Each structure stands twice: as structure tokens, then as C-alpha cells.
Amino acid sequence: MQGPNDSPQRQQSTEHRGGSAVQTVTMGAAMGPLLHWLQDVAAVTFHKARRTLFQAAILFCTLSLLLWVSIFLYGSFYYSYMPTVSFSNPVHFYYTSDCDAAGSGLCSFPTANISFMKNERDQVMANGQPYRVSLELEMPESPVNENLGMFMIKMSCYTKGGRTVSSVGRSTMLHYRSSLLQTLSTLFFSPLLLAGMTEQKQLIEVELYPDYKTNAYQPTVGAVIEIQSRRVQIYSAQLRIHAYFTGIRYVLYNFPLTSAVIGVATNFAFLSVIALFGYLQVMWGGLWPPEQVRVKVMLGDNTRIQKRREEARKRMERENSQKEISSPAVIGSINGTFDTQENGAVAESSSKTLSVIPDASGAEATHTAEAESHDSEGPGETDGSDVLDGSPRSLPGETAVRHRPGPWMSL
């Protein structure tokens, strides 16, 4: 059996459970919009992040492509604009030996033919570029060369057809060394000489052309080198061609890293501007769309016509308002004259009133005609037929006096 105190406790527990349920429902109702808002914020943030990442990827790929294109353009320019800096070619002399020459003399002068073409199609020397041409001779310190003395070296440049375009001759000889100096040098370098690590020889350099320039109309394709001595002894010979750069070529050759950075940066900036203009043209229709240009061109005429129409309308409204204010006084004065004066005075006052009122009506007609002419014919075109002898003229079919209904009309 349950006591009398059980029912209040049960009621309190029931109320407690109900309050908890209400609080739960209230919290659920309050958390629902918050969860939806958080879900929307997360979706929008994810969408923005994905779009930003996609745009960053596109921008990175575009900048990488522009950078590689800039490097390629600079490399192509450098390869095509910069000629060969130095050219070295071994010289192989030939001579005849079928004569009955006594001693160690040769039957002819040693002669060599040198080609200035790379791969049989590209010229070594660029047109208009100055070059220093020299010949290096490796000669032994033999008694024959010491007794030879001075001898001549001749060089003749020719074109593709075999025509000689330039010829030069230079003299040279072995450097003088006394017998005592030779003896001391031999004793000092005897170990190296015995080991074969050095030789008793001299390297003679003969400058043939200090600043040779090839002609674009008659380019030099080769040269003939001749040593005008039949007793000369030579180990080997080397023809060297070195370019002397000026202007942009001097900067490109002597400052290659700085020139590369400046050239690539310039190409990158130029290509970036072109890409930006292309993007604006495709996405936004360009910096100055045709619609805006058309509006700017037509805006002058339309604005002028509209302004003149507004001025005419305001002028007509102002005059109408002034007439509305002044018309009752004029009409009242006309009524008083009819009541106080006789027939002659009535006629006189009527003629005066008629002389005043048509002015207003004529002015109104004139402004109406001006407004209609502005609306129909355009700006700056007026008829001029409404004004005659300095006074306005009323329109045909219009009454001279316009009466307004008023309290005096009912009398």
C-alpha cells in the first residue's frame, strides 16, 4: 500500500522529468539553427577554399609557363644574336718535294687553305663584327731557324666564288737568345729535357688582322696562308680568330648573369601584360567595352537634347504659375470697369485689356511652339516664324482673350 506522501513525490518527479524534456526540446530547437548555420559556413568555406586552390593552381601554372617561355626567348635571342667568340683551327701546310733542291730547302713555299665555315653551311665570322686574326707558329730552336732570320707570312681571304677580297703580309722571326743563355737554359732544364717533359722550342704569334670585318654582300668563306720561305722549320701552326664585342654584345658577353636576369625579367613582364590583356578581353570584354564607347559617343547629343527639353518644360511651368497668380487681378479690374463706366469707357478699357492679355497668350504660344520645335526637330533648330517685328504672334485659330472660369462668371 502507498502512503499519502507518495503522490507528491511522484508529482515532483513527473514535473522534473517534464522540465528536463522541455529543456531538451528547447536546447534541440536552439541547436538546430546553429548546426544548420555551421553546416552552411563549412560548405561555403570549403567551396571558397577549393575555388581559391584551383585559382592558385591555374596562376602557378600560368606563371611557370610564362617563365619557361621567357627563358626560351632569351636563349633563342642570345644564340642568334651572339656570334662565335673565338675560332681556332689547325693549319696544315703543304708544299712540293719533287724538285732537285740541294740541302734542306723546300721546292715551294708552305701553303695552307683554311675554311671559315662551320658544318659546311654556317659562317664563323658574323657580318660587320670586328675580329682579330692571328697565326701561332711552334718553331724549334734549331740552327736552321736561327740562321733563317726574318721571313714573310701572307694571308689572302676569298669569297664563295674564289674572289680575293683582302690580302695582308706580316714578317716574323725567332726571338734572339745568346749562346750563353742557351747553355744555361739547357743545363737548368736538363732533367726535364731528358725526361721529355719539355722541348727547346718557341711559340711565335703573328697578328695578321687587328680588326677584320666581313662584308654581307661578299662574305668571307676561307683564306689561304702562305709562308714565304723555303728553309723554315715548323712543328705546328694554329689560326686563331677572336671577336671584339661592342655595345649590347659586349654587355652580353662580359656580364652574362646580369644580362640573363634582365632579359628574362623583361620577357616575363611583357608576356604577363599580354596575358593580362587577353584575360580581360575574354572575361570582361576588354578594358573599354564597345557598349561603353557607344554610350560615351551618343551621350553628348542625347544629353543636349534632354537638357533643352527640360529647360523648355521648366520655363513653361514657371510662366503658367505666374499667369495663374496674376490673372484674377486683371480679370477683377476688367469687371470693375464694366460696372462703373459708360459704354465708351467700357470699349476703351476692353481695348486696353485686350492689349495686355494677348501678350501673355502670345508668349505662351511662342514658348509652346519652341518646346514643340525642340521635341520634334532636335537641338538648335527653331522656325523663327512666331516672332515678327519684335512682337510675338498667336497661333492660327486661337482666341485672342482666354477666360478662366471664376466666381464672377456665374453672375
Side-chain angles (χ1 to χ4, degrees), residues 304-317:
R304 188 165 55 251
I305 295 172
Q306 189 69 22
K307 187 182 294 183
R308 293 192 178 185
R309 288 180 179 177
E310 290 293 332
E311 291 178 356
R313 186 179 60 80
K314 291 180 180 179
R315 186 169 59 250
M316 291 176 62
E317 292 178 355

Side-chain angles (χ1 to χ4, degrees), residues 83-87 129-132 241-245 253:
T84 302
V85 179
S86 60
F87 174 76
Q129 171 65 39
Y131 289 91
R132 179 178 180 271
I241 301 175
H242 185 78
Y244 284 100
F245 296 130
Y253 178 73

